[in-house]
Amino acid sequence: MNFDCLIVDFVRWLCAVSVDELLSATHPRMFSLQKIVEISYYNMGRIRLQWSRIWEVIGDHFNKVGCNPNEDVAIFAVDSLRQLSMKFLEKGELANFRFQKDFLRPFEHIMKRNRSPTIRDMVVRCIAQMVNSQAANIRSGWKNIFSVFHLAASDQDESIVELAFQTTGHIVTIVFEKHFPATIDSFQDAVKCLSEFACNAAFPDTSMEAIRLIRHCAKYVSDRPQAFKEYTSDDMNVAPEDRVWVRGWFPILFELSCIINRCKLDVRTRGLTVMFEIMKTYGHTYEKHWWQDLFRIVFRIFDNMKLPEQQTEKAEWMTTTCNHALYAICDVFTQYLEVLSDVLLDDIFAQLYWCVQQDNEQLARSGTNCLENVVILNGEKFTLEIWDKTCNCMLDIFKTTIPHALLTWRPTGGETGPVSPSAVGEKQLDTISQKSVDIHDTVQPRSSDRHQIQPIAGSTAGEEISKTRPTAKFPEQKLFAALLIKCVVQLELIQTIDNIVFFPATSKKEDAENLAAAQRDAVDFDVHVDTQDQGMYRFLTSQQLFKLLDCLLESHRFAKAFNANNEQRTALWKAGFKGKSKPNLLKQETSSLACGLRILFRMYVDESRTGAWDEVQQRLLNVCSEALSYFLTLTSESHREAWTNLLLLFLTKVLKISDERDTSKYITYNAPSSSSLIIKLFVAELHSCLCLTSMHSI
């Protein structure tokens, strides 16, 4: 034991002498350094415990010499380390020992501290040589190797990055395949290293290839789960069944999320795609609590606190990455509904709600579209509780996106004061109304196949406001842009409810056939819409349908109030809201009411809902009475024309009631027997007006 202490002391003093010899900036002596190398070489055969004490002193000395400002000295140190390391690795390493990790640590230290391109390149080449010649003998040393390559991955020198990446790729594709049990301890380090290569913006091709290799790593986890379960280490107290997650899947998915949050658009898009590809491909092997951990990572993509302050970058992030992630999350949820309905549904609804609150038109629209996709694709499997959550989500979105400020906004400064109705006659107001423009005219058309809608060229809310009259100040521009987005969301959500309840394109087809029938014969509305009952109507309770109906009618009444307020619309127009013509909400006014009428008429003839018929009839009479009374007061020809499809829908539904519903079968039920007669009274009241206006426009 004393002899061992003597050797350690001798080495320590020899290192001190070497330090003194190397102090000269012009003529450093390397005699003692050479002797240290020789001592290391000849003592390498000692038992590992004795050798580790000797190397603790020598390794620290190499750390200092490898960072010497004199490049010749540093080169000599790194080359000596390479020779010693090759010799040391030839001996291999016994299980549960970590001597390689200690021996190779000076390479890591030099790579981290020495900024000389020559030395850094030399370190990478030394490590690459070890991998190529001694891969079968490396055990704990893999951690140092990946640490060196991780440091090289962020370098700006192309030769350093390229060599480090080539060697890393060789390890992942060849060495892992042959020696996976020996490398499993450093699997996380390998994935982290690849992530760093992907995040080096100077080499985009390397970034894409690094992401591909991360995707390749997922295959190892899938093919060798037992290797992860059997792997143990002193620093990991994880149940065997969770080791494949903690050591395998989680590092891969976490590093992909880091790529998404750090990189530019093309790289982060590829990272996002691969992340969800892995989920879709291997998600069937995930435990339920693994999904919870995973989506804590995924939802970081939407973390608004981490977005750049620059508005343009923030807008791009929302329009591209957040938009892409939203659709991908919904796809994964649909694929693994049975597992994720309990785990993820509340978080998805919360995220969709967050998206429609953002001042980004594309993301807001995507929020409603994704809500529609989730419900249409999975609604048949929803429980009553899930349907309640779904309806409440739509109700919350409706209530928070009604643009109340359109009615309450007032101009500041007086230069754009509203025009009093007394200042212009009724005829002039009518003329102005005809020249108004629907706020929803810039809404992009919906994708019929319910796939992701990419941003297209055209005016968005922000672009519309940017083109407004110069009287619109910046605070007003920001407010107006936000109000336009809310208008867009309202119309999108109306369409979403219609598509969910009746299935996409069903209502549009019905309107087309109603119009075609009216053109053939303005009196005989014999319309038959041959559609399968693919919508979610049959899965919704009457109370849930009433809840959706209340949303639609609230949206309708707001739009109607805005359209009737000519003074406010004129004030907004003069302040620069929406551009060259006075704004209106005709699409919102008519489409919300049309959807509500479809729901009520459907429930009115639904024999499975007899318990709700009293309320259905009362609601139907109230809605029809209010709608027809309002229509008869309209003086603008363009406004009346906007109601054409709505009136055709109403008339067609009324005239079909007697055919579809035989009231004699429900003799004990007193409401239906009088309802159709009462509703038809409205038809008579409307007949004279329709003959002169609406039918003429058809």
Side-chain angles (χ1 to χ4, degrees), residues 542 546 600 603-621 661-676:
S542 296
F546 286 146
L600 285 172
M603 296 177 73
Y604 186 77
V605 297
D606 186 350
E607 298 178 5
S608 66
R609 300 185 188 271
T610 55
W613 272 0
D614 280 330
E615 186 173 356
V616 171
Q617 175 179 297
Q618 189 59 49
R619 283 173 174 263
L620 189 58
L621 290 173
R661 181 163 157 186
D662 184 3
T663 56
S664 64
K665 293 167 64 178
Y666 309 101
I667 193 67
T668 59
Y669 185 80
N670 55 16
S673 60
S674 60
S675 60
S676 60

Side-chain angles (χ1 to χ4, degrees), residues 215-368:
R215 178 73 173 82
H216 189 74
C217 287
K219 193 173 186 302
Y220 289 120
V221 183
S222 175
D223 293 345
R224 297 171 169 84
Q226 195 61 32
F228 288 93
K229 292 178 182 178
E230 294 173 353
Y231 172 78
T232 58
S233 66
D234 297 336
D235 62 341
M236 187 179 70
N237 297 317
V238 180
E241 59 272 15
D242 288 334
R243 287 173 187 165
V244 66
W245 171 252
V246 174
R247 285 286 185 177
W249 292 120
F250 186 83
I252 289 173
L253 296 165
F254 177 79
E255 292 303 332
L256 285 170
S257 76
C258 292
I259 292 171
I260 295 166
N261 285 313
R262 288 177 58 188
C263 297
K264 293 188 179 296
L265 178 59
D266 53 345
V267 177
R268 72 172 182 253
T269 300
R270 182 59 187 158
L272 189 66
T273 301
V274 169
M275 173 191 271
F276 284 98
E277 279 180 0
I278 291 173
M279 290 187 213
K280 294 174 184 178
T281 305
Y282 304 109
H284 63 281
T285 65
Y286 295 178
E287 299 292 337
K288 183 177 288 189
H289 60 283
W290 297 359
W291 284 107
Q292 292 175 318
D293 291 341
L294 171 55
F295 275 95
R296 288 192 189 100
I297 299 172
V298 172
F299 285 128
R300 289 172 57 214
I301 297 170
F302 300 91
D303 192 345
N304 199 34
M305 298 302 292
K306 295 182 179 179
L307 293 176
E309 292 299 325
Q310 291 83 358
Q311 192 64 31
T312 53
E313 293 183 27
K314 181 176 177 179
E316 182 198 50
W317 179 273
M318 287 185 171
T319 303
T320 56
T321 303
C322 292
N323 190 60
H324 185 175
L326 200 62
Y327 281 92
I329 289 169
C330 294
D331 287 344
V332 170
F333 176 79
T334 298
Q335 184 172 342
Y336 299 109
L337 176 67
E338 293 183 5
V339 177
L340 297 181
S341 58
D342 296 333
V343 177
L344 192 59
L345 186 65
D346 290 342
D347 290 332
I348 282 187
F349 282 159
Q351 200 61 58
L352 295 175
Y353 178 80
W354 178 87
C355 288
V356 301
Q357 304 301 312
Q358 304 309 301
D359 292 336
N360 183 283
E361 181 179 338
Q362 180 64 34
L363 189 60
R365 293 179 66 247
S366 294
T368 57

Side-chain angles (χ1 to χ4, degrees), residues 102-119:
D102 295 333
F103 195 91
L104 297 179
R105 190 169 285 123
F107 286 107
E108 184 180 342
H109 181 90
I110 295 168
M111 190 70 183
K112 185 182 297 183
R113 302 294 176 85
N114 198 324
R115 303 313 303 171
S116 167
T118 302
I119 302 303

